[in-house]
Amino acid sequence: MSRAPSRVVIDCDPGIDDAIALMLAYASPELDVAGVTTVAGNVGLDQVVDNALRVCDLIGPPAAATPVLRGYAGPLARALRQPDEPVHGAYGLGGVELPAPSRAAHPGHAVDWTAGQIRAAAPGEFTLIATAPLTNVAALLHGHPDTRERLKEIVVMGGAAFAPGNTTPAAEFNFHADPEAARYVTESGVPLRIVGLDVTREALTPLADAEALIADGAPVTAAAGRMLSHLIDRYARRHTVRACAVHDALAVAAAVRPDLLEWTDAWVTVECAGEFTRGALVADVHGRTGHAPNARVASGVDAEAFRGFLMSRLRDRYGAARLAA
Ligand code: BDR
Ligand code: CA
């Protein structure tokens, strides 16, 4: 018997891998996406909202069924710091120009709207998937504390528990962008899955897959392939491989197929003060602090299975063969 789909909100900052994550989420019948909330991160909030609207138009869910909402334009406790390098291209989607959005953002605020969605669902039914700085999520848990008990879990793309960071030697971008928010969320008591660089950098999408998506030629697959090609180009300059991590899509995959990853239970927190370690995810895997685990940290991934999962979901839902059928 198939289970009812999990009701989810995706909090994101598109961003190429956020865009691929949205495509994957809407291609996954295990998820019932209530809406898309946005926060400043890879690019400024206005651009993030515009990108989210364009991506949602492209992948086709009707506007009423999948509202896009504006969230915070920067961290609440510090100044906004955007990436030094335009990893995602000037406008955040790797130079891929999608048609201007046919819809406007929902007039509500991302945080209050999400609280309403969680309250409207049965307790333990709702999952948040966060693929951006955790400003909105922290504001939700702080401003609407009753939602903590009602959430099934929060799946976070962020941090690097056992591996080096990608923004500083110690910190990953999403946690470094708003460490106070990341710390608040990790210590909130809500069940947490953390998908960090430890696994996202082990599950690379090769150029051959980007080229296959472009060759498929359907609007969504072609756009995904072109965005991934941009990211692979950027990645190759630093890592000398013709492949890229699609961090945020792995977080969506973790919500749908947690069995694609290995999980280590640990008490986790985020360093907010260190001169060189601000934004670092600290995972107490050996129980040295005496705190009970508050998170499941992804510590291994079946990279080939993820690669196949992502490609087949994108092709089956959006590919030319499906459109022709
Ligand atoms: C994270 O940072 C962003 O650039 C990506 O979209 C992803 O969410 C990876 O460190
Ligand atoms: Ca992101």
Side-chain angles (χ1 to χ4, degrees), residues 13-19 41-42 83 87-88 130-133 157-159 166-167 171-175 197 200 231 245-248:
D13 61 339
I16 292 173
D17 56 334
D18 300 84
N42 286 316
V87 177
H88 298 259
T131 65
M157 190 286 126
N166 61 357
T167 299
E172 177 278 336
F173 175 77
N174 289 337
F175 280 20
L197 300 180
T200 63
L231 212 50
V246 196
H247 312 278
D248 298 338

Side-chain angles (χ1 to χ4, degrees), residues 16-90:
I16 292 173
D17 56 334
D18 300 84
I20 307 291
L22 291 175
M23 293 173 189
L24 178 60
Y26 281 108
S28 294
E30 299 86 347
L31 302 182
D32 170 13
V33 185
V36 174
T37 57
T38 56
V39 65
N42 286 316
V43 284
L45 183 63
D46 288 342
Q47 188 68 58
V48 158
V49 173
D50 189 63
N51 289 348
L53 290 166
R54 286 174 195 244
V55 170
C56 284
D57 263 5
L58 177 75
I59 58 187
T66 58
V68 171
L69 289 103
R70 289 174 70 88
Y72 281 99
L76 300 179
R78 62 176 62 236
L80 174 66
R81 194 177 163 277
Q82 283 189 304
D84 298 333
E85 275 184 86
V87 177
H88 298 259

